[in-house]
Amino acid sequence: MGDAPLKRENEGDELGQKAKKQKGDPEADPSGNGEECGEENILSGFKTTAVLKDSAREKTIFLHGKLDEQEAVVILQKTPITAASVAEMFACSKLKLEMRNDIYSTYHLQPPAHLNVLKATVVCPATEKHVKKYQVQESFLVEETGEDYLSITLPYIQEKSFSLQWVFNILEKKAEADRIVYEDPDPDVGFVLLPDFKWDQKQTHDLYLIAIVHQRDLKSIRELTAAHLPLLQNICTKGKEAILERYGLPASKLRVYFHYQPSYYHLHVHFTALASEAPGGGVERAHLLSDVVQNLRADGGFYRQRSLSFPLRADDGLLAKFQQAGRL
C-alpha cells in the first residue's frame, strides 16, 4: 500500500503467496521469531546483484537480485521498538559496555530474537520499473497543466498499461481479504480500507492505511469533478470512523491525502498518523483530501484545469515525455 503498492503485483502466484507470508503476516508466525512456523525460507536462495538504496536513518536497505532465477527486489527494514516490549527487552537482553564518560555511557544491546525482527518485503518477479522505483536518483519538479495531462501524461499512462491486477484482487477479495479493516461495497461511493505494507500494525504513531475506491475508471485526482464529492466525503467520514473504532486514533491526529503523481493509477487515499513522517507527504506531491473537497465545491472542474506540480526521477519515462514536448 502507500508507496509500496507496486510491490504487490503478481501476488496471486505461488511465489507471491510465499512472499506475502514473509511480509509480516501475524498468522504465519505468532511468535514473531521465525521459528517453529514450518515455512520455507524463500530468501535463502536470493542472490544480491546490487544495493539500490540504504538509509541508516530509516534503518532500511533495498536490494536487487535473483530469486528462483527471476528478477527480484527485497526490502529489509528494522521494525519499530514498542513500549510494551521495553521491560522484556531490558530484562532479557545481553548488554556490553562500549564507552563510559562521566554521566554518559553507551552499550551494545542484543535483544531476544523475537524482539529483534526485520520486516522483509519481496517483489518477485520484479520489473524494470520496480528496480528504478527503489534506486536513488536525481529528481526534477514538473509543472503539468490540464492540457499537458491530456496530451502528455494520459497517453503515457495508457501506453504503458500499468498492471492493476493486484488492486482488483483486493477489491474482489481474491487477495488480502483478511487484512481489510473496513469496506463500503457501494459501487459508486464505496471503498476498501486496509493497512499499507509499510506499517507493521504494532503501534499507532506510524499508522498507515490506504482507501481504494471501487470505481475503476478513476486514475487520480486529475479525473475528479464535483460529481465525485459524495465519494470523497464518504471516504473521509467512514475512513476516519473506522480508524477511530479499530485503532482509537481520532480524526485530529490523522493526515488524509492523495498523491499526485500516484504510484499506481487507481484512485486511492492515504490515511497516516499525523505524528509520522510518511513517504510522499511533502507539499510537492501530497494533496489533502479536505483541500480537494473544498476546491471541487468551489469549482467542479478544478483538477481538470489546474496546473499541478510534482517531482519525477531522472529515469522516469514520463519525465522524458515532458522533455520531448519542450515542457521542461
Side-chain angles (χ1 to χ4, degrees):
M1 321 250 100
D3 300 342
L6 280 170
K7 62 179 172 271
R8 291 186 284 193
E9 291 181 12
N10 301 306
E11 278 191 347
D13 60 22
E14 179 181 357
L15 181 58
Q17 291 298 325
K18 290 179 181 178
K20 179 180 173 184
K21 292 180 180 179
Q22 289 289 326
K23 292 190 277 188
D25 183 352
E27 295 181 2
D29 178 17
S31 69
N33 61 13
E35 298 174 0
E36 299 181 359
C37 62
E39 285 192 54
E40 176 188 0
N41 178 6
I42 65 167
L43 293 178
S44 62
F46 181 76
K47 306 251 189 288
T48 303
T49 57
V51 175
L52 301 177
K53 179 171 62 175
D54 60 10
S55 170
R57 182 174 181 272
E58 298 178 358
K59 298 177 176 57
T60 57
I61 186 167
F62 299 76
L63 305 169
H64 177 215
K66 293 271 192 178
L67 187 58
D68 291 342
E69 301 305 317
Q70 297 185 92
E71 295 294 325
V73 171
V74 174
I75 306 167
L76 300 179
Q77 180 180 27
K78 289 284 290 183
T79 55
I81 299 171
T82 62
S85 68
V86 169
E88 183 184 1
M89 184 175 294
F90 286 162
C92 303
S93 297
K94 295 179 180 178
L95 202 64
K96 181 180 179 181
L97 178 67
E98 292 186 335
M99 181 277 294
R100 179 180 288 119
N101 184 356
D102 192 29
I103 64 172
Y104 303 100
S105 56
T106 60
Y107 298 84
H108 179 81
L109 187 148
Q110 180 64 52
H114 66 284
L115 297 179
N116 190 26
V117 178
L118 288 177
K119 177 182 177 182
T121 299
V122 181
V123 186
C124 186
T127 65
E128 182 181 359
K129 183 174 178 65
H130 290 109
V131 175
K132 289 182 177 179
K133 175 182 177 180
Y134 298 116
Q135 281 179 323
V136 177
Q137 291 192 25
E138 188 178 11
S139 293
F140 299 85
L141 195 66
V142 173
E143 184 177 336
E144 175 195 79
T145 66
E147 292 181 357
D148 289 336
Y149 176 73
L150 294 176
S151 63
I152 301 175
T153 306
L154 184 58
Y156 174 78
I157 296 170
Q158 294 169 335
E159 174 191 346
K160 290 299 181 180
S161 300
F162 299 115
S163 173
L164 293 172
Q165 188 56 53
W166 68 269
V167 175
F168 302 149
N169 288 344
I170 291 173
L171 295 176
E172 297 167 9
K173 298 187 178 64
K174 294 179 179 178
E176 304 187 43
D178 59 324
R179 303 181 69 248
I180 293 176
V181 171
Y182 175 83
E183 179 181 17
D184 180 339
D186 187 281
D188 296 320
V189 300
F191 64 98
V192 167
L193 181 70
L194 73 166
D196 187 277
F197 276 125
K198 288 185 284 296
W199 181 40
D200 65 8
Q201 304 180 61
K202 292 183 178 179
Q203 60 284 312
T204 59
H205 70 262
D206 59 345
L207 174 143
Y208 200 146
L209 294 100
I210 300 291
I212 303 175
V213 305
H214 277 297
Q215 286 195 46
R216 300 195 179 191
D217 59 345
L218 295 174
K219 295 179 177 63
S220 70
I221 59 174
R222 269 295 186 198
E223 301 186 345
L224 293 175
T225 68
H228 299 110
L229 282 171
L231 166 65
L232 302 182
Q233 291 165 339
N234 191 50
I235 293 174
C236 183
T237 300
K238 293 183 178 177
K240 290 176 178 178
E241 289 175 350
I243 290 173
L244 176 62
E245 181 178 350
R246 174 68 71 90
Y247 304 108
L249 208 63
S252 60
K253 293 188 176 182
L254 292 176
R255 182 190 297 112
V256 187
Y257 58 98
F258 296 93
H259 279 155
Y260 193 78
Q261 292 282 323
S263 55
Y264 56 100
Y265 294 97
H266 180 106
L267 191 71
H268 57 284
V269 180
H270 303 256
F271 287 77
T272 65
L274 191 60
S276 70
E277 297 181 6
V283 296
E284 73 278 10
R285 191 178 178 199
H287 298 257
L288 290 175
L289 174 57
S290 58
D291 287 347
V292 172
V293 168
Q294 289 187 47
N295 290 335
L296 290 175
R297 282 176 177 166
D299 178 359
F302 184 90
Y303 287 100
R304 297 199 173 186
Q305 304 165 6
R306 171 73 183 269
S307 292
L308 298 175
S309 297
F310 50 85
L312 289 175
R313 298 184 350 151
D315 66 343
D316 196 306
L318 183 57
L319 179 67
K321 295 294 185 182
F322 272 84
Q323 290 171 329
Q324 291 167 12
R327 295 289 293 118
L328 191 68

